[in-house]
């Protein structure tokens, strides 16, 4: 009864001139016999139990095809969009890392060039003889043009490289940075879809194998931004890392590196993580000593911070204290 009424109420546009329930359900594609069964249940005798079970099964199939499958399709599309954003982020992170390395190399080469120029300026210049006979160069056309032609070739090659470099810089300017992609990731995706996409790609992807072979530094901006918007992501990520470690004991050192990196981020709220429960699970695994060490250190820091906070005294309440006799109030004579 409630299913049919709920479907029909969504199509009622005017309560004063209400359309028949059978007409509204026919527009939705609901079988007419279910509407008749609803009418019998509401206004006449209750139908038999097999009829009600058949109607419930038919309604579940109807909701599955018209509602749940549609939602699942939209979720899969959003999941694919999230995966593409992650791949775009990786491309941008690799590009920025390569540009940083090129910048360091360029600065080093420039310093070496300046040192060489300083050494050349310190060396004495070669003496030129004004009485040297160079008339043979005027007669020898190829000898006279040999050096200038070489210089012109070098200038053309240098100019061509500079133009190619400028075009590359223009192309890179149109590409998004890692921070821009991370901001787009958290703004355009729902929390559950973003969680699933990142966890599937970083932890459970058999093709990428990011957790066992990737570097946490490339994903630092993305994970920090996600933890800043959704603080619970760090707990979810560390929990999945522990589950991954229990299934793949050979990757303990790499998994510990990832967990240590995530716990060290400023946006990670370590005190919200279930560290005791995770350590209890890992204590049964002998090959997880690296991950156990990371989580134990984090637990010690959280407990130390809690003890420090508990023992802190607010001395501002004591500064205004005045001595008085027993039974009297401060500022009043006994």
């Amino acid at each position: 009864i409630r299913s049919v009424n709920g479907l029909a109420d969504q199509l009622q546009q005017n309560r004063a001139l209400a359309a028949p329930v059978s007409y509204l359900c026919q527009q939705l594609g609901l079988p007419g016999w279910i509407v008749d069964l609803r009418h019998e249940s509401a206004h006449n005798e209750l139908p038999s139990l097999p009829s009600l079970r058949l109607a419930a099964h038919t309604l579940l199939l109807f909701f599955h095809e018209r509602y749940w499958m549609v939602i699942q399709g939209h979720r899969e599309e959003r999941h694919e969009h999230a995966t593409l954003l992650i791949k775009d982020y990786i491309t941008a992170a690799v590009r920025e890392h390569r540009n940083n390395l090129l910048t360091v190399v360029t600065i080093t080469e420039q310093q070496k060039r300046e040192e060489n120029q300083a050494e050349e300026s310190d060396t004495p210049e070669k003496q030129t003889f004004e009485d040297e006979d160079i008339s043979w160069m005027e007669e020898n056309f190829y000898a006279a043009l040999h050096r200038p032609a070489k210089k012109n070739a070098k200038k053309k090659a240098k100019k061509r490289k500079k133009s190619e470099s400028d075009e590359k810089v223009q192309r890179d300017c149109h590409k998004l940075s890692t921070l821009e992609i991370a901001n787009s990731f958290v703004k355009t995706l729902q929390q559950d879809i973003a969680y699933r996409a990142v966890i599937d790609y970083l932890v459970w992807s058999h093709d990428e194998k990011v957790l066992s072979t990737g570097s946490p530094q490339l994903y630092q901006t993305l994970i920090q931004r996600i933890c800043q918007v959704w603080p619970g992501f760090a707990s979810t990520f560390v929990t999945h890392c522990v589950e991954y470690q229990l299934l793949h004991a050979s990757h303990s050192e790499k998994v510990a590196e990832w967990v240590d990196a995530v716990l060290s981020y400023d946006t990670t709220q370590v005190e919200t993580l279930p560290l005791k429960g995770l350590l209890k699970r890992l204590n049964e695994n002998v090959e997880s000593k690296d991950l156990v060490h990371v989580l134990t250190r984090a637990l010690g820091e959280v407990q130390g911070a809690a003890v420090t906070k508990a023992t802190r005294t607010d001395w501002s309440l004591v500064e205004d204290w005045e001595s008085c006799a027993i039974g009297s109030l401060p500022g009043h004579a006994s």
Side-chain angles (χ1 to χ4, degrees):
I1 294 176
R2 290 183 178 179
S3 298
V4 175
N5 290 341
L7 292 172
D9 289 341
Q10 296 297 323
L11 298 179
Q12 290 285 5
Q13 298 179 357
N14 190 352
R15 296 291 179 180
L17 302 174
V21 176
S22 58
Y23 172 75
L24 297 175
C25 291
Q26 184 180 3
Q27 290 183 344
L28 294 174
L30 197 66
W33 66 271
I34 292 183
V35 180
D36 296 338
L37 195 67
R38 171 256 176 200
H39 183 78
E40 291 292 330
S41 301
H43 303 288
N44 298 322
E45 295 183 358
L46 191 66
S48 62
L49 184 59
S51 300
L52 294 175
R53 286 177 176 174
L54 180 61
H57 182 70
T58 304
L59 282 172
L60 287 176
L61 291 178
F62 176 83
F63 287 132
H64 179 74
E65 295 177 357
R66 298 295 184 89
Y67 181 72
W68 292 316
M69 287 296 294
V70 175
I71 292 180
Q72 182 65 21
H74 289 302
R75 291 179 62 86
E76 291 297 333
E77 292 179 359
R78 302 304 298 169
H79 186 272
E80 293 178 0
H81 175 65
T83 305
L84 291 177
L85 282 178
I86 295 175
K87 293 182 178 180
D88 291 341
Y89 171 86
I90 297 170
T91 304
V94 172
R95 184 180 68 249
E96 291 179 0
H97 181 68
R98 183 175 63 249
N99 292 340
N100 292 335
L101 292 179
L102 290 176
T103 303
V104 173
V105 172
T106 304
I107 294 175
T108 305
E109 291 179 352
Q110 185 177 359
Q111 291 176 352
K112 291 182 179 180
R113 195 180 304 112
E114 291 176 355
E115 292 176 358
N116 294 333
Q117 290 177 357
E119 292 178 357
E120 291 178 357
S121 62
D122 294 338
T123 57
E125 297 181 356
K126 295 183 179 180
Q127 297 180 355
T128 57
F129 300 94
E130 297 179 357
D131 56 349
E132 184 178 358
D133 185 15
I134 59 172
S135 60
W136 61 274
M137 295 183 63
E138 298 178 358
E139 299 176 358
N140 191 344
F141 177 78
Y142 294 102
L145 295 180
H146 177 67
R147 289 181 62 83
K150 190 174 182 181
K151 288 183 179 179
N152 291 336
K154 287 184 177 180
K155 288 182 180 179
K156 290 181 180 179
K158 187 176 181 180
K159 187 176 181 180
R160 184 173 61 254
K161 288 182 180 179
K162 186 177 184 304
S163 62
E164 293 176 356
S165 178
D166 293 341
E167 291 177 359
K168 183 178 181 301
V169 170
Q170 288 181 349
R171 289 196 303 268
D172 292 341
C173 289
H174 296 290
K175 297 178 181 178
L176 297 177
S177 64
T178 54
L179 182 58
E180 291 173 337
I181 297 176
N183 289 332
S184 176
F185 187 87
V186 298
K187 289 179 180 179
T188 59
L189 296 174
Q190 297 178 354
Q191 180 179 356
D192 55 341
I193 296 176
Y195 274 34
R196 178 191 168 193
V198 176
I199 296 298
D200 286 350
Y201 191 88
L202 295 183
V203 181
W204 300 112
S205 177
H206 296 286
D207 298 330
E208 303 298 336
K209 298 180 180 179
V210 178
L211 195 64
S212 59
T213 60
S215 173
Q217 296 178 354
L218 290 178
Y219 301 87
Q220 180 176 353
T221 304
L222 178 62
I223 296 178
Q224 281 184 327
R225 192 71 181 94
I226 294 175
C227 292
Q228 185 179 6
V229 177
W230 301 307
F233 175 78
S235 178
T236 303
F237 180 79
V238 174
T239 303
H240 278 271
C241 287
V242 171
E243 296 297 330
Y244 181 88
Q245 174 60 37
L246 294 174
L247 295 175
H248 306 83
S250 60
H251 300 146
S252 174
E253 184 176 355
K254 196 65 181 178
V255 175
E257 180 185 354
W258 273 88
V259 174
D260 191 21
V262 173
L263 295 180
S264 65
Y265 297 156
D266 297 336
T267 56
T268 302
Q269 299 179 3
V270 185
E271 62 275 5
T272 61
L273 270 66
L275 297 175
K276 291 184 179 180
L278 297 176
L279 285 171
K280 185 177 180 181
R281 293 210 62 189
L282 289 173
N283 286 333
E284 302 174 358
N285 194 333
V286 182
E287 299 183 2
S288 303
K289 58 181 181 179
D290 296 325
L291 187 55
V292 170
H293 175 70
V294 172
L295 295 178
T296 303
R297 186 179 70 246
L299 180 61
E301 293 176 356
V302 171
Q303 292 177 346
V307 171
T308 303
K309 184 178 181 180
T311 57
R312 186 181 303 161
T313 306
D314 191 359
W315 293 102
S316 62
L317 299 177
V318 188
E319 291 177 355
D320 298 332
W321 179 82
E322 298 178 3
S323 60
C324 59
I326 299 177
S328 61
L329 297 175
H332 294 76
S334 58

